[in-house]
Amino acid sequence: MAGEVVVDALPYFDQGYDESGVREAALALVDEETRRYRPTKNYLEYLPAPAYNAFETEIMKNEFERLQSRLPMDMLSMKRYELPQPSAGKMTDISAWNECVENSQAQLEHQALRILNLELLSEYGSNAWKSYNTVLVQMLETAQKQLQELRKRIQEINWERKHEQTEAGVNLKNLEERIKDEI
């Protein structure tokens, strides 16, 4: 297993970190490592260049160009709500008037549907929002319970490690004493 690092420290059992000189020695090792390691100016050069406009649509590009040019925003077009009559040359043409009537009926139907949607929203919208908020609260409570269980499990693992390391430390101490006695 090439490149595998075996950690041989027992942080719950090892002693001597508070002794004088240990901290200074560790800081000296860190300083020596930072003197040897000189980062390059652009340490991210191996990464591809970021594509900041990868998700821009044509509409977004046009809007950004308009903003850069400091042009005013186009006024809201009300043309589709107009009910034009037939042109002056077709005032006596029945098919032209039928088109105008069909256009007006389509716009009336569209407006009626918008009014119906607004009525439905005013009647049921608040209940739907309350239901959505209830679901969000339930999701939050579930996530908080999972987080608490995870923290509890982490604490248990840390206690298990401490117990195992303390036992291993005592065994190591006993083995050291036996080796000293045998020598």
Side-chain angles (χ1 to χ4, degrees), residues 3-162:
E4 184 177 322
V5 177
V6 178
V7 178
D8 61 350
L10 300 175
Y12 288 107
F13 183 78
D14 290 344
Q15 304 295 320
Y17 295 117
D18 298 331
E19 294 176 11
S20 64
V22 173
R23 180 175 175 79
E24 290 78 18
L27 289 174
L29 287 171
V30 170
D31 287 340
E32 190 265 328
E33 176 71 21
T34 54
R35 274 193 298 277
R36 277 190 293 141
Y37 174 71
R38 293 284 180 214
T40 60
K41 285 195 180 245
N42 184 6
Y43 58 92
L44 299 176
E45 63 189 7
Y46 69 94
L47 294 174
Y52 295 116
N53 55 0
F55 299 103
E56 283 183 10
T57 63
E58 268 312 304
I59 294 172
M60 291 172 66
K61 289 177 186 175
N62 293 338
E63 187 63 17
F64 289 145
E65 288 174 9
R66 183 192 66 77
L67 289 172
Q68 280 182 335
S69 304
R70 296 182 184 257
L71 297 173
M73 183 184 282
D74 293 337
M75 296 300 292
L76 185 63
S77 173
M78 301 301 281
K79 183 146 180 72
R80 70 180 191 169
Y81 300 111
E82 294 175 3
L83 296 174
Q85 60 185 14
S87 60
K90 297 187 176 183
M91 287 296 230
T92 58
D93 186 9
I94 294 181
S95 63
W97 280 104
N98 282 338
E99 279 182 35
C100 291
V101 169
E102 288 172 3
N103 179 27
S104 65
Q105 288 174 338
Q107 287 194 31
L108 283 173
E109 187 64 28
H110 175 72
Q111 293 299 326
L113 284 174
R114 289 182 70 178
I115 290 169
L116 179 63
N117 283 336
L118 287 173
E119 288 172 355
L120 289 171
L121 180 64
S122 68
E123 186 174 344
Y124 300 109
S126 61
N127 292 336
W129 186 251
K130 288 176 189 176
S131 173
Y132 173 70
N133 286 340
T134 303
V135 169
L136 284 181
V137 168
Q138 289 172 349
M139 289 172 63
L140 175 66
E141 290 171 356
T142 302
Q144 286 176 336
K145 285 179 186 175
Q146 289 174 344
L147 176 63
Q148 197 165 7
E149 290 172 10
L150 188 61
R151 286 183 175 161
K152 182 180 175 186
R153 182 65 186 134
I154 290 171
Q155 186 65 33
E156 289 172 359
I157 289 171
N158 286 336
W159 282 112
E160 288 173 18
R161 285 182 183 160
K162 183 176 183 177

Side-chain angles (χ1 to χ4, degrees), residues 158-177:
N158 286 336
W159 282 112
E160 288 173 18
R161 285 182 183 160
K162 183 176 183 177
H163 179 70
E164 289 171 2
Q165 290 180 17
T166 305
E167 282 183 4
V170 170
N171 289 342
L172 285 172
K173 207 172 214 179
N174 290 339
L175 290 171
E176 284 177 359
E177 293 297 324

